């Protein structure tokens, strides 16, 4: 090998080492590092080391960053076009941080552990009814201070909305909450 090629390989190797060290992948297995470098997403670095509170903050930040970009369409789960119903949206944002949820607000309402309304924490899933029954048919993510973010549609709205869980509209529609983090 000639000196210019050896120098180029050394520079490339050093650059790769710097990228791995800066991303937190240094010291991980070759398989993990290889898989992470193939993934081009915000979650390429493992989220397993995050606390529940840190995951909640990241999930909420991702959800809020998608305001104005996501569209609601009933019974649709199309991440490539950012078109979701309420439960496919929660499935999408939680999935980005390693939390697997089924696609259905009723099925999501069976995940994790029950949490009372007075003990809600950021990242808890909150479930509502659309009609007068107490049947679960809508889901959102609790973001703190009595607020939740959800993908919804109305006469003058389509997409992500931050709402007050204690408002006249949502307090009477509240059914339950689950902690999945």
């Amino acid at each position: 090998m000639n000196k210019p090629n050896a120098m180029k390989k050394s520079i490339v190797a050093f650059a790769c080492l710097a990228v791995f060290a800066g991303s937190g992948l240094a010291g991980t297995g070759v398989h993990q590092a290889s898989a992470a470098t193939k993934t081009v997403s915000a979650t390429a670095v493992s989220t397993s080391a995050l606390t529940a509170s840190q995951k909640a903050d990241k999930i909420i930040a991702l959800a809020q960053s998608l305001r104005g970009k996501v569209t609601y369409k009933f019974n649709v789960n199309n991440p490539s076009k950012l078109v979701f119903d309420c439960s496919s949206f929660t499935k999408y944002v939680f999935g980005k941080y390693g939390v697997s949820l089924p696609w259905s607000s009723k099925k999501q309402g069976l995940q994790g552990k029950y949490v009372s309304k007075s003990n809600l924490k950021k990242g808890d899933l909150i479930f509502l009814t659309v009609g007068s029954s107490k049947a679960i048919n809508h889901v959102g993510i609790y973001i703190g201070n009595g607020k939740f973010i959800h993908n919804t549609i109305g006469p003058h709205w389509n997409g992500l909305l931050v709402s007050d869980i204690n408002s006249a509209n949502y307090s009477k529609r509240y059914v339950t909450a689950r902690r999945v983090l």
Side-chain angles (χ1 to χ4, degrees), residues 28-180:
T28 62
V30 173
H31 175 70
Q32 288 173 318
S34 174
T37 56
K38 290 178 185 174
T39 305
V40 182
S41 75
T43 59
V45 177
S46 173
T47 59
S48 62
L50 297 176
T51 66
S53 177
Q54 290 169 325
K55 271 189 186 181
D57 288 341
K58 289 188 176 291
I59 288 166
I60 291 165
L62 174 60
Q64 290 180 325
S65 76
L66 294 171
R67 290 177 74 186
K69 299 173 187 168
V70 164
T71 302
Y72 179 93
K73 189 165 185 183
F74 179 72
N75 209 28
V76 173
N77 180 18
N78 191 339
S80 65
K81 295 194 179 199
L82 295 178
V83 179
F84 303 99
D85 64 13
C86 62
S87 64
S88 62
F89 176 72
T90 54
K91 177 184 184 330
Y92 175 75
V93 294
F94 277 80
K96 288 289 187 182
Y97 290 94
V99 179
S100 179
L101 292 173
W103 178 20
S104 157
S105 56
K106 288 177 186 150
K107 289 179 182 175
Q108 287 180 11
L110 300 173
Q111 303 300 301
K113 296 183 183 213
Y114 166 80
V115 59
S116 67
K117 191 174 180 182
S118 62
N119 287 317
L120 287 170
K121 289 185 181 178
K122 288 182 181 181
D124 287 343
L125 293 173
I126 62 140
F127 298 91
L128 303 117
T129 186
V130 173
S132 58
S133 75
K134 283 294 186 180
I136 292 172
N137 44 34
H138 190 62
V139 61
I141 305 165
Y142 187 72
I143 63 173
N145 298 320
K147 308 278 187 207
F148 69 106
I149 188 166
H150 55 129
N151 195 23
T152 191
I153 193 166
H156 306 289
W157 188 261
N158 184 323
L160 296 176
L161 186 63
V162 172
S163 301
D164 187 331
I165 193 127
N166 297 310
S167 70
N169 180 33
Y170 292 111
S171 64
K172 67 183 175 189
R173 294 177 46 201
Y174 180 88
V175 177
T176 192
R178 305 293 287 186
R179 185 160 296 146
V180 295

